[in-house]
């Protein structure tokens, strides 16, 4: 069906979207389900503390590191081809992880899972841009795409908990295998192929420089958040910045770069990416401190702390579903900035929060209000990039999410830690043993560990001021978040106010027809079975 010169998606495209939902769901599912399996697999494999950290982190490292490369690679070799290759590797790596016999093998399998996962999000976003040329349909499709991430986060802990009750820890890795088999079986029949026929070969040095820049940056940021200002994470940050600068300089010189920096000359594109980065930064830091508050102040178990986040995930899923319909009547600038005002208000409320209930309800409102930015922002990023660059644009949107969360935990989290240490420094009563005092001054978790098994009077004397100090640090973190999100609201309202509602065009003077030159734009290569 063709409307206004644009061919609307039909049954085949919507069926294709259902197929694309499978890998989208699994990317977030795989992260959350491992949180529950970690204690069992660590005991079974004999993983020490350092190995446990690598089991958790290596997936995110390789996922972030390869996003740019995979987004551009899909544009060059074919988005469907890359998606199916990634699905195959993801399935094989999942089976390997499930039956791993040592921490080293599991870490290696998780690394490969991250590389395969890096093919999924850019490929699915780029294929959505190919399949849904109508603005309203594309906005709805991306809303569904975004909702699948949060749905994976909701179902992951619940289904993972059920599997761990009935089977061994490796069973959680096998959950994604049937989905990947279904994708491989049905994908070639319902997904179109698209590649940029004008693109040259990927520049190998650019790929190396991108990895040399991104991986040390992610590692350094995470380690700074975990250990503080130690020499190794600082050196890693410096190395990442140096290689990142060399990468950008090379992209400016290449006629066919790995990342086309000209995309950032589009105001809507660059402003939206910056907003996504900031929202992810605030969300990452807030979730870190809120989850710790649930456990260390509220006294919830790890599982119950994860379940406390579910109302927020559910609220985001609902918001993703209804945002496209509202965006057809309301300008994105006003819808997104209104949502950001809502998130900023939530942050202000959090600066006074002292109970688990306030945080659970507030996080649900925060997630609901933030969904328009993620859904419409991702749509704006894709819509403002040429069709042949959709994979690269999609990878940049995902990179903002990865970097934003890591930056929030490291930078804003460091501020929160400093507030905690300042508040606790003179709050421990005299007479408490020096070793316990030092542990309490380091962190609330350290305070809890130091007084485990101690008399009730000593526990109260240490934990009460430590919990108050941690609550103050939560207030500081959310106060920073309120300021940042209010700034995003103003920026979006000012810079994107010219963007019409989804599916509408700005009224303007009638223009005389202009003779069209033959187009050099790449043509989709569609394969039907």
């Amino acid at each position: 069906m063709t409307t206004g010169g644009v061919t609307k998606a039909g049954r085949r495209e919507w069926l294709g979207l259902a197929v694309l939902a499978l890998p989208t769901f699994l990317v977030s599912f795989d992260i959350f389900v491992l949180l529950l399996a970690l204690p069992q697999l660590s005991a079974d494999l004999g993983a020490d503390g350092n190995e446990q950290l690598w089991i958790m982190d290596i997936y995110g490292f390789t996922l972030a590191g390869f996003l740019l490369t995979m987004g551009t690679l899909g544009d060059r070799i074919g988005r469907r081809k890359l998606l199916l290759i990634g699905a195959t590797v993801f399935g094989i790596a999942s089976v390997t992880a499930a039956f791993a016999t040592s921490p080293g093998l599991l870490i290696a399998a998780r690394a490969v899972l991250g590389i395969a996962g890096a093919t999924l999000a850019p490929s699915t976003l780029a294929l959505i841009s190919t399949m849904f040329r109508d603005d309203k349909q594309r906005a709805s499709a991306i809303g569904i795409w975004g909702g699948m991430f949060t749905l994976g986060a909701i179902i992951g802990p619940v289904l993972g908990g059920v599997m761990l009750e009935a089977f061994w820890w490796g069973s959680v890795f096998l959950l994604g295998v049937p989905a990947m088999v279904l994708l491989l079986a049905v994908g070639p029949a319902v997904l179109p192929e698209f590649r940029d026929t004008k693109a040259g070969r990927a520049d190998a040095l650019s790929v190396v420089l991108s990895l040399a820049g991104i991986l040390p940056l992610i590692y350094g940021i995470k380690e700074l958040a975990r250990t503080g200002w130690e020499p190794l994470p600082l050196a890693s940050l410096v190395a990442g910045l140096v290689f990142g600068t060399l990468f950008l300089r090379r992209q400016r010189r290449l006629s066919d770069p790995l990342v086309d920096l000209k995309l950032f000359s589009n105001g809507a594109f660059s402003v939206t990416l910056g907003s996504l980065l900031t929202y992810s930064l605030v969300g990452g830091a807030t979730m870190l401190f809120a989850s710790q508050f649930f456990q260390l102040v509220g006294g919830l178990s790890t599982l119950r702390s994860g379940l406390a986040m579910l109302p927020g995930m559910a609220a985001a899923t609902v918001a993703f579903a209804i945002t496209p319909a509202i965006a057809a009547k309301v300008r994105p600038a006003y819808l997104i900035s209104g949502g950001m005002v809502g998130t900023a208000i939530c942050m202000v409320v959090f600066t006074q929060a002292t109970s688990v209930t306030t945080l659970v309800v507030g996080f649900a409102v925060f997630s609901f209000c933030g969904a328009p930015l993620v859904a419409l922002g991702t749509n704006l990023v894709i819509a403002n990039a040429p069709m042949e660059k959709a994979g690269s644009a999609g990878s940049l949107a995902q990179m903002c999410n990865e970097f934003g969360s890591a930056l929030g935990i490291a930078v804003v989290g460091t501020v929160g830690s400093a507030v905690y240490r300042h508040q606790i420094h003179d709050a421990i009563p005299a007479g408490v043993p020096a070793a316990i005092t030092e542990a309490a001054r380091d962190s609330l978790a350290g305070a809890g560990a130091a007084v485990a098994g101690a008399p009730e009077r000593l526990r109260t004397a240490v934990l009460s001021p430590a919990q108050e100090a941690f609550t103050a640090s939560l207030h500081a973190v959310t106060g920073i978040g309120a300021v940042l999100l209010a700034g995003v609201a103003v920026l979006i309202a000012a810079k994107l106010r010219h963007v019409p509602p989804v599916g509408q065009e700005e009224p303007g003077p009638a223009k005389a027809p202009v003779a069209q030159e033959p187009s050099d734009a790449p043509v989709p290569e569609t394969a039907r079975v």
Side-chain angles (χ1 to χ4, degrees):
M1 179 179 176
T2 302
T3 304
V6 177
T7 301
K8 285 201 169 186
R11 182 182 301 174
R12 182 172 185 262
E13 285 74 22
W14 289 107
L15 181 58
L17 178 64
V19 173
L20 292 178
L22 297 173
T24 304
F25 171 85
L26 287 174
V27 168
S28 61
F29 180 94
D30 193 70
I31 295 174
F32 283 89
V33 77
L34 185 63
L35 293 173
L36 298 178
L38 188 63
Q40 287 188 25
L41 69 87
S42 299
D44 188 34
L45 299 179
D48 59 28
N50 188 53
E51 288 169 333
Q52 291 178 40
L53 291 175
W54 277 108
I55 289 170
M56 284 296 302
D57 288 344
I58 192 64
Y59 178 85
F61 288 156
T62 53
L63 177 67
F66 282 87
L67 272 172
L68 287 180
T69 299
M70 294 305 179
T72 305
L73 184 62
D75 292 336
R76 283 173 160 81
I77 71 170
R79 294 162 184 171
R80 187 184 66 183
K81 179 187 291 185
L82 183 64
L83 177 65
L84 297 179
I85 292 172
T88 302
V89 175
F90 197 97
I92 294 172
S94 296
V95 174
T96 304
F99 295 99
T101 55
S102 68
L105 181 58
L106 181 57
I107 291 169
R110 291 277 294 166
V112 176
L113 278 170
I115 296 172
T119 70
L120 303 181
S123 295
T124 52
L125 268 177
L127 283 169
I128 286 173
S129 74
T130 303
M131 296 156 58
F132 298 91
R133 302 306 302 158
D134 177 76
D135 289 341
K136 290 183 179 180
Q137 288 188 325
R138 184 177 61 248
S140 297
I142 289 179
I144 294 171
W145 176 88
M148 293 308 296
F149 274 105
T150 55
L151 190 61
I154 292 172
I155 295 177
V158 177
L159 185 56
V162 172
M163 295 293 289
L164 290 170
E165 286 290 329
F167 305 103
W168 91 114
W169 60 265
S171 64
V172 299
F173 291 108
L174 297 179
L175 289 171
V177 176
M180 290 305 176
V181 171
L182 183 61
L183 172 60
L184 292 170
V186 181
V190 297
L191 299 176
E193 182 58 289
F194 181 99
R195 66 184 180 90
D196 184 359
T197 57
K198 299 291 185 180
R201 297 180 63 181
D203 179 55
L205 182 56
S206 292
V207 172
V208 173
L209 288 174
S210 72
L211 295 175
I214 294 169
L215 292 176
L217 275 177
I218 292 288
Y219 174 80
I221 289 170
K222 285 182 175 287
E223 285 301 301
L224 281 178
R226 183 179 294 135
T227 65
W229 297 95
E230 297 293 331
L232 181 58
L234 283 174
S236 182
L237 277 180
V238 171
L241 291 172
V242 169
F243 284 113
T245 301
L246 294 175
F247 171 78
L248 294 176
R249 287 182 177 178
R250 184 164 182 82
Q251 302 317 292
R252 293 191 182 98
R253 294 198 302 267
L254 294 175
S255 58
D256 190 14
L258 191 68
V259 176
D260 188 355
L261 300 182
K262 294 177 183 177
L263 291 173
F264 291 91
S265 63
N266 183 305
F269 183 90
S270 55
V271 167
T272 304
L273 279 180
S275 300
L276 288 169
L277 177 72
T278 305
Y279 177 73
S280 182
L281 182 150
V282 173
T286 302
M287 284 188 68
L288 172 67
F289 276 77
S291 63
Q292 291 183 348
F293 184 93
F294 291 151
Q295 296 178 64
L296 303 177
V297 179
L300 301 184
S301 65
T302 303
L303 177 58
R304 291 182 65 193
S305 297
L307 294 176
M309 295 291 186
L310 293 189
M313 301 298 182
T317 302
V318 172
F320 276 123
I322 66 175
T323 291
I326 301 174
K329 299 178 180 180
V330 180
R331 287 178 180 267
Y334 304 145
L335 183 55
I336 295 173
S337 61
M340 288 297 98
V341 169
T343 61
I345 291 173
C346 286
M347 291 290 103
V348 172
V349 172
F350 286 167
T351 63
Q352 306 301 314
T354 57
S355 71
V356 168
T357 301
T358 301
L359 287 178
V360 171
V361 175
F363 181 66
V365 177
F366 175 90
S367 301
F368 185 88
C369 293
L373 170 60
V374 180
L376 296 180
T378 304
N379 184 47
L380 284 170
V381 169
I382 297 298
N384 282 279
M387 182 187 290
E388 65 272 16
K389 300 291 184 181
S392 180
S395 67
L396 287 170
Q398 287 300 107
M399 278 294 300
C400 286
N401 292 332
E402 294 293 331
F403 264 118
S405 180
L407 280 171
I409 291 172
V411 179
V412 182
T414 298
V415 174
S417 297
V419 170
Y420 172 84
R421 293 188 180 101
H422 175 75
Q423 292 287 113
I424 195 66
H425 190 269
D426 296 321
I428 303 295
V432 173
I436 294 178
T437 299
E438 287 304 311
R441 287 174 177 172
D442 181 65
S443 67
L444 177 54
V451 297
E456 183 63 27
R457 185 175 179 179
L458 178 58
R459 285 173 54 82
T460 302
V462 173
L463 290 181
S464 181
Q467 289 173 343
E468 290 178 4
F470 185 83
T471 302
S473 70
L474 171 67
H475 294 167
V477 166
T478 52
I480 295 171
V483 174
L484 291 175
L485 293 175
V488 169
V490 173
L491 181 66
I492 290 287
K495 297 296 184 180
L496 300 184
R497 64 182 184 276
H498 66 282
V499 179
V502 174
Q504 298 182 25
E505 295 183 1
E506 278 296 300
K511 296 181 181 180
V514 179
Q516 298 293 319
E517 294 292 333
S519 175
D520 288 331
V523 178
E525 298 179 350
T526 306
R528 297 178 184 270
V529 176

